[in-house]
Amino acid sequence: MSGWLSEPIKGVLLDITGVLYESGEGFGTVIPGSVEAVERLREAGIPVRFVTNETCASRAAVVVKLRHHNFSLSEADVFSPVPAVISVLRERGLTPHTLVHPAIEGEFKELKTGPPTCVVLGDADEAFSFANMNEAFTTLMNMEDPKLFSLGYGKYYKHKGKLQLDVGAFASALEFACDIKSEVIGKPSPLFFGTALSDIGITAKEAVMVGDDIVSDVGGAQKSGLRGVLVRTGKYTPKCEDHPSVKPHFIANNLLEAVEMIIQVQKFFLSLTSAQKDDLLETCKLDWPFFQT
């Protein structure tokens, strides 16, 4: 409880797939109340950024999809691993061998100027064949100083109503085979969360992350100093609530319910005097009904 009341909420980070909409054919299906939830945050004066490990589409394509569902946003509001890793590769002068989704393969074209000096692994979907995984493996093994970048590190995600393996499972296989550790670009990397927070101009302790992934979204955010909220949509399963190490600050049925709680907490916090806030943080003995899940 003291975590909620220690700082005002000055910004919210939202996962996209499984929080705003459910993936599926075409543009997928919007989750009821999610469009209203985003607008309510903005009306309350709370800045919003969208942080996603989506690597099956460009940021532009993600924005087109969300606008189709009546969300109001621009590319600048979306933070995804692809532009982040391209920036890292350019900064370090690395040439990638890529195992990514065909939809984003072209974004790495200008970086492939010679023999690969690293491997970039994204959500390749059907391209995660034995042949392609083995090629990534042999490419790493032939490097004097092998470097593996994983665009996210999720275990699984929900697509067309079914759970399927995420990039973290395949990155773990290469880590094991090559005896290396991947550098994660995306959630749950603290640097990834920090980039979105810097864009808002706030610190981690002033922010809340809302997601459907108990480890990458909630756990990653909490390790980075944010407050983490889990929603019961997307890839959520009941066992997420019994995770051995990650304990969400709040569990909501959907984004709208999470936003209602965030706004309620924010209003309550702002109503306190400095003395009341200090006393509350010291005692933490009051039972606030809006913390109940």
Side-chain angles (χ1 to χ4, degrees), residues 5-46:
L5 300 172
S6 60
E7 294 286 341
I9 299 172
K10 296 183 179 180
V12 174
L13 305 186
L14 299 178
D15 184 27
I16 294 179
T17 307
V19 175
L20 304 183
Y21 77 96
E22 303 282 11
S23 65
E25 297 295 340
F27 291 109
T29 305
V30 68
I31 296 174
S34 58
V35 175
E36 178 188 349
V38 174
E39 291 308 310
R40 287 197 61 189
L41 284 172
R42 288 172 172 156
E43 289 170 1
I46 302 175

Side-chain angles (χ1 to χ4, degrees), residues 14 25 35 41 45 71 82 90 129 132 134 153 164 177 185 219 225 242 281:
L14 299 178
E25 297 295 340
V35 175
L41 284 172
F71 290 98
V82 176
R90 284 177 174 159
S129 64
N132 288 342
N134 200 55
Y153 207 70
Q164 62 185 50
I185 307 293
D242 297 318
L281 291 175

Side-chain angles (χ1 to χ4, degrees), residues 6-275:
S6 60
E7 294 286 341
I9 299 172
K10 296 183 179 180
V12 174
L13 305 186
L14 299 178
D15 184 27
I16 294 179
T17 307
V19 175
L20 304 183
Y21 77 96
E22 303 282 11
S23 65
E25 297 295 340
F27 291 109
T29 305
V30 68
I31 296 174
S34 58
V35 175
E36 178 188 349
V38 174
E39 291 308 310
R40 287 197 61 189
L41 284 172
R42 288 172 172 156
E43 289 170 1
I46 302 175
V48 180
R49 296 296 183 271
F50 304 90
V51 291
T52 177
N53 279 353
E54 170 70 74
T55 54
C56 290
S58 65
R59 279 196 301 175
V62 170
V63 169
V64 168
K65 183 181 296 186
L66 292 178
R67 285 178 177 171
H68 171 81
H69 292 304
N70 295 318
F71 290 98
S72 176
L73 76 164
S74 67
E75 282 189 47
D77 298 322
V78 179
F79 293 80
S80 70
V82 176
V85 75
I86 289 175
S87 178
V88 169
L89 297 180
R90 284 177 174 159
E91 181 181 325
R92 301 183 190 178
L94 297 172
T95 302
H97 168 88
T98 54
L99 178 46
V100 297
H101 195 279
I104 66 167
E105 183 68 56
E107 300 199 31
F108 295 90
K109 184 178 180 180
E110 294 182 0
L111 296 172
K112 296 184 176 182
T113 57
T117 54
C118 68
V119 168
V120 175
L121 200 66
D123 178 19
D125 202 4
E126 296 297 329
F128 275 135
S129 64
F130 173 79
N132 288 342
M133 280 291 290
N134 200 55
E135 184 179 5
F137 161 71
T138 56
T139 299
L140 286 166
M141 292 297 285
N142 288 331
M143 292 178 188
E144 184 175 341
D145 181 21
K147 295 180 176 62
L148 173 63
F149 293 93
S150 182
L151 304 186
Y153 207 70
K155 295 180 179 180
Y156 57 85
Y157 62 99
K158 195 172 185 179
H159 182 60
K160 296 181 180 180
K162 297 181 179 180
L163 297 180
Q164 62 185 50
L165 289 175
D166 203 351
V167 64
F170 298 95
S172 296
L174 292 176
E175 290 174 344
F176 175 75
C178 301
D179 196 23
I180 59 174
K181 185 64 179 175
S182 60
E183 183 171 341
V184 179
I185 307 293
K187 297 174 292 184
S189 167
L191 179 61
F192 190 67
F193 287 112
T195 301
L197 295 177
S198 295
D199 189 64
I200 298 175
I202 61 175
T203 63
K205 62 184 179 180
E206 297 171 320
V208 174
M209 171 70 202
V210 182
D212 65 327
D213 188 316
I214 186 66
V215 176
S216 292
D217 292 336
V218 179
Q222 290 177 333
K223 287 183 179 178
S224 300
L226 292 81
R227 286 159 278 189
V229 174
L230 177 69
V231 288
R232 296 186 176 108
T233 54
K235 69 165 64 175
Y236 164 87
T237 61
K239 67 180 181 180
C240 292
E241 299 186 26
D242 297 318
H243 194 278
S245 59
V246 181
K247 306 301 178 185
H249 285 81
F250 186 75
I251 301 174
N253 288 316
N254 50 45
L255 177 59
L256 183 57
E257 184 175 290
V259 166
E260 289 173 347
M261 180 275 299
I262 289 171
I263 292 174
Q264 188 176 2
V265 171
Q266 178 70 334
K267 288 180 178 178
F268 176 79
F269 182 91
L270 293 176
S271 72
L272 296 175
T273 65
S274 296

